[in-house]
Amino acid sequence: MPEAIEKISIQLKVNGKSHTVTGTHVGCDTTYCGACTVLLNGAAVKSCTMFAVQADGAEITTVEGMEKEGVLHPIQKAFGDCYGLQCGYCTPGFMLSAVQLLAKNKKPSEKDIRKAIAGNTCRCTGYQNIFKAIQQAAENMKGA
Ligand code: FES
Ligand code: FES
């Protein structure tokens, strides 16, 4: 039985205004970096350049929606186990792109993984541990 995790909500006051911080980030605001990736009806999309009206009636999943009942999604666990992140700014976007990949392809090749995350940019990791994390998640999700 995987260990349950504790959810922490981060609230900050910046220049006198309260903010609740989420994992979905704006990096470039030009559809380049993928830090803003969310799932829209199960498809990974770059939310920074979507119109709000495009999400009308849609089901949106952010990184906060990946864990269930305090248990990390296998992709989240694999990123931790494989050190697939450093600063973590890009990580929610990579994870959601991986969710989309593994929903469609249970045994992705390295080429499949490279293609699936081609729209996500990481300035820290050099990508190798991100590949390893997605490969490990695919292995751990076999039969799921
Ligand atoms: S913020 Fe970079 S693609 Fe959306
Ligand atoms: S871990 Fe820092 S940008 Fe990817």
Side-chain angles (χ1 to χ4, degrees):
M1 181 76 181
E3 212 173 287
I5 54 153
E6 185 186 351
K7 230 181 199 178
I8 299 172
S9 171
I10 298 175
Q11 292 181 318
L12 309 169
K13 194 172 263 190
V14 181
N15 298 330
K17 286 188 185 162
S18 289
H19 298 267
T20 301
V21 182
T22 74
T24 308
H25 299 123
V26 176
C28 63
D29 213 5
T30 59
T31 322
Y32 172 74
C33 74
C36 63
T37 302
V38 300
L39 297 181
L40 178 85
N41 296 328
V45 297
K46 295 179 176 179
S47 59
C48 68
T49 40
M50 274 184 60
F51 292 113
V53 71
Q54 291 176 284
D56 185 32
E59 185 170 332
I60 308 286
T61 305
T62 70
V63 70
E64 288 81 7
M66 288 179 69
E67 59 86 10
K68 296 284 178 253
E69 295 170 11
V71 177
L72 290 177
H73 188 284
I75 293 172
Q76 293 175 303
K77 177 147 184 1
F79 268 72
D81 290 347
C82 297
Y83 302 101
L85 66 148
Q86 288 183 27
C87 78
Y89 198 86
C90 67
T91 311
F94 274 98
M95 287 180 176
L96 290 164
S97 292
V99 168
Q100 176 182 249
L101 169 68
L102 298 183
K104 292 182 182 163
N105 182 352
K106 305 276 182 226
K107 287 171 108 180
S109 64
E110 186 174 335
K111 194 175 165 196
D112 295 332
I113 296 173
R114 284 184 190 277
K115 194 171 170 198
I117 60 172
N120 295 84
T121 303
C122 177
R123 292 184 167 196
C124 304
T125 62
Y127 298 96
Q128 289 312 311
N129 287 357
I130 293 174
F131 291 129
K132 282 184 202 160
I134 297 173
Q135 282 171 330
Q136 183 174 304
E139 194 62 33
N140 293 346
M141 289 168 71
K142 267 187 194 162

